[in-house]
């Protein structure tokens, strides 16, 4: 029986491409570099960060500093400008960063009596900035706990990240349903840890997908 529902954040509740696009715009403003040049550097930085993470060479608690450092080095600028761009992006972005229906899904989980949390990987900006979005757009009011890789020290799909949820809420891993958009990090990671998992489709409202998954579980 499901007792806890955990939600991934970027790609499931919030649009990561909106954040990245705004960071690029802010860096262009701060540096005077053309957007195309910054996008190229960002693409390479993301590729390098992924390789480091998959090879186990990207410590979760140090990931933001390392990833921002790679991005800054590729651009040939001080890392402080990357940090400023991320902060400025949070100040500029409006409700368009929220995936339609995502807040309704989190509300549904809470209204049905489940304990609810988020579990997010963090790389190019600190979880503190993501927390601003979660508060600003009404997600956090339905959450009992926020879990982020830069605070936990574990990235999904590491089973330790999911184990933290079961230990915090005092439930077994089989009583946790993790909801996310990435097959490796969210779906396979949760299943391998012993949790239940829902791999969400971007073509359908998250609330509808969660409602159907819960109905199947209870049938």
């Amino acid at each position: 029986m499901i007792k806890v529902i955990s939600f991934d954040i970027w790609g499931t509740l919030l649009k990561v491409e909106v954040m990245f696009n705004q960071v690029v715009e802010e860096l262009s403003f701060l540096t005077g570099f053309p957007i195309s040049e910054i996008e190229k550097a960002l693409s390479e930085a993301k590729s390098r960060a992924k390789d480091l993470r998959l090879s186990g060479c990207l410590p979760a608690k140090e990931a933001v500093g390392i990833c921002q450092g790679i991005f800054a080095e590729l651009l040939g600028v001080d890392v402080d400008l990357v940090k400023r761009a991320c902060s400025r992006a949070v100040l500029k972005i409006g409700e368009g960063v929220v995936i339609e229906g995502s807040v309704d899904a989190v509300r549904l989980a809470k209204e049905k009596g489940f304990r609810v949390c988020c579990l997010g990987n963090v790389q190019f900006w600190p979880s503190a900035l993501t927390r601003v979005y979660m508060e600003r757009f009404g997600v956090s009011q339905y959450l009992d706990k926020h879990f982020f890789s830069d605070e936990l020290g574990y990235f999904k799909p590491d089973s330790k990240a999911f184990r933290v949820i079961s230990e915090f809420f005092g439930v077994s891993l089989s009583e946790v349903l993790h909801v996310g958009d990435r097959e490796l990090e969210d779906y396979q990671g949760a299943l391998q840890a012993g949790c239940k998992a829902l791999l969400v489709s971007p073509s359908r409202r998250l609330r509808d997908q969660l409602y159907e998954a819960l109905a199947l579980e209870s049938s």
Side-chain angles (χ1 to χ4, degrees), residues 38-93:
I38 298 172
E39 288 177 334
K40 181 179 179 181
L42 176 59
S43 178
E44 176 63 21
K46 288 161 71 174
S47 177
R48 293 188 187 183
K50 181 178 180 179
D51 289 342
L52 285 172
R53 182 167 59 82
L54 293 179
S55 65
C57 297
L58 185 64
K61 287 192 174 183
E62 302 168 28
V64 174
I66 293 171
C67 293
Q68 290 183 337
I70 293 171
F71 191 14
E73 182 180 2
L74 288 167
L75 283 172
V77 301
D78 190 277
V79 71
D80 191 58
L81 289 176
V82 175
K83 296 176 186 291
R84 286 186 62 195
C86 291
S87 297
R88 288 170 61 92
V90 172
L91 294 174
K92 296 283 186 68
I93 291 175

Side-chain angles (χ1 to χ4, degrees), residues 73-153:
E73 182 180 2
L74 288 167
L75 283 172
V77 301
D78 190 277
V79 71
D80 191 58
L81 289 176
V82 175
K83 296 176 186 291
R84 286 186 62 195
C86 291
S87 297
R88 288 170 61 92
V90 172
L91 294 174
K92 296 283 186 68
I93 291 175
E95 290 187 6
V97 74
V98 181
I99 294 176
E100 185 179 359
S102 63
V103 178
D104 292 338
V106 181
R107 183 190 301 117
L108 173 68
K110 191 65 176 176
E111 289 177 346
K112 282 188 170 290
F114 297 101
R115 304 301 298 278
V116 187
C117 66
C118 64
L119 177 63
N121 283 350
V122 174
Q123 290 188 172
F124 281 89
W125 51 85
S127 58
L129 296 185
T130 300
R131 285 178 180 273
V132 173
Y133 286 127
M134 304 286 276
E135 289 289 345
R136 183 179 173 191
F137 299 117
V139 179
S140 288
Q141 64 181 314
Y142 303 114
L143 299 179
D144 298 297
K145 183 68 175 177
H146 301 68
F147 296 106
F148 294 96
S149 60
D150 62 339
E151 298 171 353
L152 296 177

Side-chain angles (χ1 to χ4, degrees), residues 198-210:
L198 171 60
L199 182 63
V200 301
S201 168
S203 63
R204 299 183 58 215
R205 289 175 64 89
L206 178 58
R207 185 190 185 283
D208 295 339
Q209 295 179 70
L210 177 61

